[in-house]
Amino acid sequence: LSMILLTCRLFFPRKMPVTPEEPSRRDYAVTARLGVGSTGRRIQLCTNHFNVSVGQPDVVFYQYTVSITTEDGENVQGKGIGRKLIDQLYKTYSSDLDGKRLAFDGEKTLYTVGPLPQNDFDFQVILEASFSKRDCGVSDGGSPSGSSKRSKRSFLPRSYRVQIHFSAKIPLRSVLATQRGVDTSDNSTQDAVRVLDIVLRQQAAERGCLLVRQAFFLNDVNSVDVGGGVIGIRGFHSSFRPTDGGLSLNIDVSTTMILKPGPVIEFLKANQNVELPRQIDWIKASKVLKNLRVKASHRNMEFKIIGLSAKPCNQQLFTMKIKDGECEGQTKEITVYEYFKQTYTEPTYSAYLPCLDVGKPDRPNYLPLEFCNLVSLQRYTKALSVRQRALLVEKSRQKPLERIKALNDAMHTYCYDKDPFLAGSGISIEKQMTLAEGRVLNPPTLKFGKNEDFLPSNGRWNFNKKMLIEPRAIKNWAVVNFSFPCDSSHISRELISCGMRKGIEIDRPFALVEEEPQSKNLSAVKRVEKMIAKMKSKFPIDPPHFILCVLPERKNSDIYGPWKKVCLTEAGINTQCICPTKINDQYLTNVLLKINSKLGGINSLLGMECSSNIPLINKIPTLILGMDVSHGSPGRADVPSIAAVLLHSYVPCPLFAHCVVGSKNWPLISRYRAAVRTQSPKMEMIDSLFQPVEDPVNGDNGIMKYVNAIYELFVEFFKTSNARKPKQIIIFRDGVSESQFNQVLNIEVDQIIKAYQRLGETDVPKFTVIVAQKRHHTKLFQAKGHENVPAGTVVDTKIVHPTNYDFYMCAHAGIIGTSRPAHYHVLLDEIGFSPDELQNLIHSLSYVNQRSTTATSIVAPVRYAHLAAAQFAQFTKFEDISEEKVPELPRLHERVESNMFFC
C-alpha cells in the first residue's frame, strides 16, 4: 500500500490541497433534451405503449391520509385487511362520500376525483365473519376448533375505526404540462402518475391477483415448473408513463416465482429433492414453511403456519374439553392423531410426521400434514439456483409475435379504462400499440490481426480465419483438473493448435496436475488447498504465469469461488476455468479470447480506435467509467453489498458491493481495469468513492481509504496513457431508478470531483453522465416483420421522456425470445456530444467486449462491472458474513490487479 501511495504522489504532485470536507461547489440538475439523432436507416416500429387520452384535463385528484385502528385503539397493519375495510366503508357510507370512487394504495393513502364533502371523516366499519381472523384445528389448552368460546369469537363481526384526513391536491393537468415541455420540478407529474398507477393496482387487487409492485398475476395457469417446489407464473406489468407522444399505458408480460400449490408433503419432498417423507430435514422444513398459508381439507379454511410440532402427530398431546357425558366440562389429554381419527378421518402417513402449527406462539394449533395444502399465489422470494434460472428462461421466453398477441389480448380482456375512477377522470386508452419511428445505426468497423478490417452483420462476427490484433504468448503455464473425466493432455494440445491459428504462441504446459481421487469428497475450500499444495510441488521456485483449471461441474461449481480467490488474491496467477463438454474450434476460440484478455492482450479493436478518430475523445484525455451497486440475494438484505466500478452480477451475490471499471490506454476505449468494494446494505448510492483516512506513509489524511476505487483508476489511467490525466470523464451508471438521478449527480459525481481534487488538481474535468437501465418494460417490435428488431436499433422520439434526455437502444441481435432494449438517460453532458455522436459512441461501446463475438445489450463498461462483481461475490460464498460489520473484500494481487481478470 505504501508503494502505491508513493507512486500516486509521483504521478500526481500536489498543487492546491483541498480538505476532504470542502464541497466541490457544484450543483447539477438533470439535463433536458437538446435534440434527436438523424443517422441510420429508418425503420417502422410498434411498441408496448398504448396511447392515453385525457378528456377532462382540469380534473384534480384529492389525496387523503387514512388511519385504521381496532376498537382497542391498536393500529391495523396489512394491505389485505386495509383494502377490505375501505371496500366495506364505500359500500356502507357511499352517500356520505358523495358517491365518489376511492383509489386506495393498500396502506395509508387514498385518492378521489375532486373533493369529498368534508376534509375529515371518522367512520366505524364492521367486517363480517368471512373477513375476520379464523382459527381451526387442534388448540393446545383448548378444545377442537369450533367448540370453544375462543374459536367461536373468531366468527363474530368485528368493528374498526377508519379516519380520513385531507392532505393534498394533485392536478392531472401537470401531466399534460410535461408533455408540452414544461418543467414540473415540484414532482406533481410523478404524483399524478402515481395516482393512476394505484388505480391499476386496485383493479388487480379486486380481481384477486397477486401484486408485485406494478405487476399482477391472476392464476397459476400456464406455469413453468423449475423444480424445488417452485413455479414461475406469467402475469402483466402495467404502468402509466408520460412520454414525448403523450401519456401512455405501458404493458408488458411479467413473470414471478410462487410456491407450487398442493399437498404440503409433496412441496417439502420437491423442495429438498427427496423421495420419501422420512428423508425430510424437518429443521429446514420448519424454516421454509414459516408464514406460508395452507388450506385445511377437513374444514375448508385457510391458516398461516408459524412452525412445526415438537413431536410426531401420534405422540403430540393437547388438552381437550369433554363435550358430553358425566365428565362434560372437564379436560383430558389426547394426541392429535386420536382426535382427528375420532372427529374427522384417520391420518395415515402423517401419523409419524410432525404437525403444522397454525396457532399463536402461546397457543399452538396443530394440523396433520396430510390435511394441508399450500394455497396458490404465494410468492417465492429466495434466489433461484442456476438450473432453476436456466429452466425459467428457457420455458418462459416468447417470440415477438407471441408477446404482441399476449399484450393485445390483455388490453382487450382487462379493459383498464372501464374502471369507474379512470372513467371519472376522463381517461380513455387506445387498444392498438403505439407506432414509433426508429433508426438502425451502422455497425462500427472492427480491426483484427494483420490489419484486417471487418464489418459485423446484425451485431455478430467470428474469428474464423482471423488473427487476434494483440496476442499474448502463453508461457510457463499449467493445467489442473478437479476430477472432471477428460484428457487434460488432449485439451492442452488442442488449445495450442487453436492458438497457433489465432496468432497466439503457446508453449507446452509445464505440468498437468490431476486431483487425488480421495479429495473428491472434501469441501470445496479443502479441495482447492490440496490442489494448490500439489501444484507447488510441481513449481518449487516460481509460480506459473497462467493456469487452465478444469472444473468438475459445468455450472455453478463450488470450486470456482475458492479457486479464483486463491489465484487472484494470494498467488497472483491468471487463471481460466473451463468444463468442456464438446471441444471444437469455436469453443477453444472463445476460451482463448478470455485468456488473451486476462493476460493483457487485445482481441479486436474498433476501427476508429486504430485511426484515433473517436469524436471529442481522441484529442482530449478521456476516462470512461462503468459503475454499479450489486445487492445480495433475496432474503439477505441486511448484509453488506459489493460495489464495483465495473459491475453487474448475474449470480446470487452474498454481499452488497459497488464496482467501478475505468478505461485505460487512452485513446483506446476497449481496455479497462476494475475496482470492487463492499458497502453498506440497502444503499443504492456508492458510498466509498471518496473516503479520506489516515495515510500510512506520512500521516496525511488526503489519501483515500484502502486506496479508493476512483483513485486506483485515476492512477491506472495516468500510467497507461502517456502520463496524461483525464480532462473528460464519461460515466455509465447502472442500477438506479429515475427518482435517484439527482443523487447520482450530486453525490457520486461530487465524490469523484473531490477525489480528483485530492490529486492536487485545481481544475475539474468535464463530465458526461449516463444511466443505463435494463430493468424496464418497454419493448420494440418491427411493424412489418416477425423477427426481433435489427441490431443497432435506436428510438429517441414518441415513447421517450417528454423533457429529459433519454433514448432506447437495442445494440444486440435478439436470437431467442424478444429483445429488450437498453434505456439510456443522459443526466449531464458537459463534454458536448451531439445526439448522433453520443448514440454512435454508445453503440460502438457495445462492440468492445473482449470476450464476446456479438454486440452486447449494454455498453461494455457496465457489462464488465457485472462480471467483476460476480467474481468477487464468489470469493465470499463459503464465508460467514457478519450482519453488523461491513467486511473489506480481499485485495487483488499486484500481478493481476491491472488485468481484465473479469473477462
Side-chain angles (χ1 to χ4, degrees):
L1 178 62
S2 298
M3 291 195 62
I4 293 175
L5 297 173
L6 181 59
T7 303
C8 294
R9 287 202 171 81
L10 292 174
F11 288 149
F12 298 99
R14 291 185 178 278
K15 296 177 183 176
M16 294 180 63
V18 181
T19 61
E21 295 76 15
E22 183 176 344
S24 62
R25 296 194 180 92
R26 294 222 175 174
D27 187 14
Y28 293 113
V30 175
T31 188
R33 184 186 308 280
L34 300 178
V36 296
S38 60
T39 60
R41 171 174 59 88
R42 306 282 168 170
I43 183 174
Q44 290 300 312
L45 305 171
C46 59
T47 71
N48 58 338
H49 287 239
F50 296 82
N51 287 334
V52 176
S53 299
V54 181
Q56 301 176 30
D58 294 327
V59 160
V60 176
F61 299 129
Y62 278 66
Q63 177 180 321
Y64 296 86
T65 302
V66 179
S67 171
I68 304 175
T69 56
T70 64
E71 292 174 298
D72 302 327
E74 295 180 5
N75 290 326
V76 174
Q77 304 293 332
K79 292 185 178 181
I81 191 170
R83 291 190 187 279
K84 291 170 183 174
L85 280 166
I86 295 299
D87 183 56
Q88 186 64 28
L89 182 150
Y90 181 79
K91 292 177 182 177
T92 307
Y93 300 103
S94 177
S95 59
D96 296 75
L97 302 172
D98 231 5
K100 289 190 177 296
R101 293 286 180 169
L102 309 178
F104 182 55
D105 70 351
E107 296 178 340
K108 296 181 179 180
T109 309
L110 64 79
Y111 303 88
T112 61
V113 178
L116 294 174
Q118 57 195 61
N119 286 342
D120 297 281
F121 291 91
D122 195 334
F123 295 114
Q124 182 185 29
V125 181
I126 307 296
L127 274 191
E128 299 300 329
S130 58
F131 295 145
S132 300
K133 184 175 179 180
R134 294 163 295 187
D135 294 307
C136 169
V138 176
S139 235
D140 191 23
S143 57
S145 180
S147 62
S148 71
K149 290 182 180 179
R150 184 177 69 88
S151 54
K152 283 182 179 178
R153 179 176 176 272
S154 300
F155 290 89
L156 296 175
R158 191 170 185 184
S159 175
Y160 296 86
R161 183 183 183 187
V162 180
Q163 295 173 292
I164 299 175
H165 176 71
F166 169 76
S167 58
K169 295 180 183 180
I170 303 171
L172 181 56
R173 184 176 291 278
S174 60
V175 176
L176 307 179
T178 307
Q179 295 169 19
R180 294 193 299 271
V182 177
D183 181 20
T184 54
S185 55
D186 60 353
N187 294 325
S188 58
T189 298
Q190 294 92 323
D191 292 340
V193 171
R194 187 181 303 114
V195 174
L196 300 178
D197 284 343
I198 285 170
V199 175
L200 297 180
R201 288 177 56 82
Q202 181 167 278
Q203 284 183 18
E206 289 171 352
R207 292 196 299 269
C209 296
L210 168 65
L211 305 181
V212 183
R213 293 178 292 278
Q214 281 300 128
F216 59 89
F217 304 86
L218 183 57
N219 54 47
D220 51 24
V221 178
N222 300 321
S223 60
V224 176
D225 193 334
V226 298
V230 180
I231 61 176
I233 59 171
R234 187 173 294 167
F236 295 94
H237 164 93
S238 58
S239 63
F240 288 94
R241 294 189 63 84
T243 70
D244 187 50
L247 187 64
S248 75
L249 177 63
N250 178 209
I251 302 180
D252 192 21
V253 176
S254 185
T255 301
T256 195
M257 310 309 298
I258 65 169
L259 300 173
K260 188 175 183 179
V264 172
I265 193 66
E266 295 302 321
F267 164 75
L268 290 176
K269 289 193 295 183
N271 184 256
Q272 299 189 17
N273 194 27
V274 299
E275 295 183 357
L276 301 172
R278 59 182 173 80
Q279 297 173 306
I280 293 173
D281 182 329
W282 293 104
I283 295 176
K284 290 182 179 179
S286 179
K287 292 179 180 178
V288 77
L289 290 176
K290 189 171 183 179
N291 294 325
L292 298 185
R293 301 192 321 277
V294 292
K295 192 170 189 177
S297 58
H298 69 293
R299 292 296 298 273
N300 195 31
M301 301 178 74
E302 286 187 17
F303 309 92
K304 185 170 77 171
I305 301 171
I306 68 165
L308 298 175
S309 62
K311 297 180 179 180
C313 180
N314 61 355
Q315 298 178 26
Q316 183 64 53
L317 294 168
F318 75 97
T319 303
M320 184 181 76
K321 288 184 179 180
I322 301 174
K323 296 169 61 178
D324 50 24
E326 295 181 0
C327 301
E328 183 175 357
Q330 298 182 17
T331 62
K332 68 173 182 178
E333 294 281 299
I334 187 172
T335 64
V336 176
Y337 171 83
E338 285 296 332
Y339 170 76
F340 271 83
K341 179 180 178 182
Q342 296 172 15
T343 310
Y344 300 107
T345 306
E346 180 180 4
T348 54
Y349 67 84
S350 66
Y352 308 98
L353 305 177
C355 300
L356 296 183
D357 184 356
V358 296
K360 295 182 178 180
D362 57 339
R363 300 199 66 163
N365 193 1
Y366 299 122
L367 296 175
L369 269 172
E370 65 187 86
F371 293 104
C372 299
N373 293 285
L374 289 175
V375 301
S376 187
L377 298 182
Q378 296 193 77
R379 194 171 175 219
Y380 180 80
T381 57
K382 293 182 174 59
L384 297 179
S385 67
V386 171
R387 179 180 174 276
Q388 286 176 318
R389 290 199 305 274
L391 277 173
L392 180 65
V393 170
E394 178 185 351
K395 295 183 179 181
S396 62
R397 62 171 64 108
Q398 289 179 304
K399 293 181 179 179
L401 283 184
E402 295 173 339
R403 187 170 290 248
I404 289 174
K405 183 180 184 305
L407 297 176
N408 285 331
D409 288 348
M411 274 301 298
H412 287 86
T413 299
Y414 296 117
C415 300
Y416 292 95
D417 52 0
K418 299 300 181 185
D419 179 88
F421 192 99
L422 295 182
S425 307
I427 287 177
S428 60
I429 305 171
E430 290 187 10
K431 298 298 188 289
Q432 301 300 320
M433 288 186 169
T434 298
L435 297 177
E437 184 178 73
R439 292 174 289 112
V440 182
L441 303 181
N442 293 327
T445 299
L446 298 182
K447 182 78 72 173
F448 296 107
K450 295 186 176 180
N451 204 33
E452 179 183 355
D453 290 336
F454 184 81
L455 193 65
S457 175
N458 199 25
R460 306 181 74 82
W461 64 96
N462 59 57
F463 278 86
N464 292 339
K465 300 180 181 179
K466 295 182 180 68
M467 309 282 276
L468 306 188
I469 192 168
E470 287 189 18
R472 285 288 187 269
I474 303 177
K475 301 178 180 294
N476 189 30
W477 68 292
V479 180
V480 301
N481 184 2
F482 282 94
S483 302
F484 185 75
C486 67
D487 184 346
S488 300
S489 178
H490 174 69
I491 292 175
S492 66
R493 290 195 301 271
E494 291 297 311
L495 193 69
I496 292 171
S497 176
C498 184
M500 290 178 59
R501 294 191 293 273
K502 308 305 173 191
I504 303 178
E505 180 186 348
I506 308 178
D507 292 349
R508 292 180 60 187
F510 186 85
L512 303 174
V513 186
E514 300 286 338
E515 184 180 39
E516 299 292 342
Q518 60 268 28
S519 298
K520 291 174 63 175
N521 297 324
L522 298 176
S523 69
V525 174
K526 288 292 184 183
R527 292 175 71 177
V528 169
E529 289 176 354
K530 284 190 170 292
M531 180 64 81
I532 292 294
K534 187 174 183 180
M535 202 176 66
K536 285 181 178 178
S537 66
K538 305 282 186 180
F539 294 85
I541 302 176
D542 295 323
H545 180 55
F546 168 75
I547 299 175
L548 183 69
C549 174
V550 185
L551 296 175
E553 299 95 20
R554 184 164 175 265
K555 291 284 188 180
N556 208 31
S557 172
D558 288 343
I559 298 291
Y560 182 87
W563 173 258
K564 285 285 187 179
K565 181 180 179 181
V566 169
C567 289
L568 295 178
T569 66
E570 298 174 18
I573 302 173
N574 293 290
T575 178
Q576 176 63 47
C577 295
I578 63 172
C579 186
T581 55
K582 184 178 180 180
I583 299 176
N584 54 30
D585 185 75
Q586 180 180 350
Y587 177 81
L588 293 172
T589 297
N590 290 336
V591 171
L592 283 170
L593 294 180
K594 298 177 182 180
I595 294 173
N596 193 55
S597 300
K598 290 172 179 174
L599 296 180
I602 303 177
N603 302 327
S604 64
L605 287 173
L606 299 172
M608 59 183 177
E609 287 182 277
C610 297
S611 61
S612 297
N613 191 29
I614 307 175
L616 300 183
I617 291 179
N618 61 296
K619 294 182 179 179
I620 302 175
T622 303
L623 171 66
I624 300 177
L625 300 176
M627 299 168 49
D628 191 18
V629 173
S630 81
H631 296 293
S633 303
R636 298 295 303 274
D638 50 355
V639 295
S641 65
I642 295 176
V645 189
L646 204 167
L647 156 75
H648 226 93
S649 172
Y650 287 108
V651 297
C653 175
L655 288 175
F656 282 99
H658 74 253
C659 174
V660 183
V661 281
S663 61
K664 58 184 187 176
N665 299 96
W666 174 80
L668 299 185
I669 58 175
S670 295
R671 301 291 308 281
Y672 292 84
R673 170 176 173 163
V676 185
R677 300 286 187 273
T678 54
Q679 76 170 40
S680 304
K682 299 181 182 180
M683 282 192 65
E684 193 60 64
M685 294 299 105
I686 298 176
D687 64 354
S688 60
L689 291 173
F690 177 75
Q691 286 182 338
V693 295
E694 188 73 12
D695 182 343
V697 176
N698 59 15
D700 184 351
N701 72 344
I703 301 299
M704 278 68 75
K705 176 185 179 184
Y706 213 24
V707 185
N708 278 172
I710 290 296
Y711 203 85
E712 286 184 20
L713 302 182
F714 282 153
V715 173
E716 185 71 23
F717 183 90
F718 185 92
K719 290 165 59 178
T720 61
S721 303
N722 298 317
R724 301 291 296 273
K725 303 171 188 177
K727 298 301 180 184
Q728 299 178 152
I729 298 178
I730 302 173
I731 299 173
F732 288 97
R733 179 64 159 95
D734 190 20
V736 294
S737 62
E738 293 181 29
S739 63
Q740 298 166 318
F741 286 174
N742 280 312
Q743 291 176 276
V744 171
L745 289 178
N746 294 300
I747 295 178
E748 294 179 349
V749 173
D750 183 72
Q751 288 189 63
I752 294 172
I753 292 173
K754 288 178 179 177
Y756 190 82
Q757 290 173 331
R758 290 304 300 180
L759 303 175
E761 295 298 308
T762 56
D763 61 339
V764 173
K766 291 182 179 179
F767 283 89
T768 291
V769 182
I770 303 164
V771 168
Q773 292 179 336
K774 285 291 285 181
R775 294 182 180 180
H776 61 85
H777 292 276
T778 293
K779 299 292 189 297
L780 305 176
F781 307 95
Q782 293 196 52
K784 299 179 180 179
H786 298 169
E787 304 300 323
N788 276 307
V789 297
T793 298
V794 62
V795 176
D796 57 3
T797 60
K798 202 70 177 284
I799 59 172
V800 295
H801 195 276
T803 56
N804 293 352
Y805 186 1
D806 68 323
F807 56 89
Y808 294 92
M809 181 179 290
C810 203
H812 66 299
I815 305 302
I816 301 173
T818 302
S819 297
R820 175 183 295 180
H823 191 187
Y824 293 101
H825 302 260
V826 184
L827 307 189
L828 180 68
D829 184 23
E830 294 179 325
I831 296 175
F833 290 99
S834 71
D836 283 326
E837 288 171 339
L838 189 59
Q839 290 171 9
N840 278 289
L841 172 63
I842 289 174
H843 186 218
S844 297
L845 283 170
S846 301
Y847 282 77
V848 302
N849 189 334
Q850 294 295 299
R851 54 181 266 156
S852 178
T853 56
T854 63
T856 51
S857 61
I858 202 85
V859 289
V862 169
R863 177 63 178 139
Y864 284 156
H866 298 332
L867 295 170
Q871 286 210 13
F872 270 78
Q874 292 292 325
F875 290 177
T876 61
K877 190 173 180 180
F878 299 99
E879 299 177 5
D880 292 329
I881 300 171
S882 169
E883 297 183 359
E884 297 178 4
K885 183 180 179 181
V886 180
E888 293 287 3
L889 286 169
R891 294 284 292 169
L892 290 172
H893 195 282
E894 61 183 3
R895 285 198 292 263
V896 298
E897 64 182 0
S898 295
N899 296 347
M900 294 173 67
F901 66 89
F902 41 82
C903 276

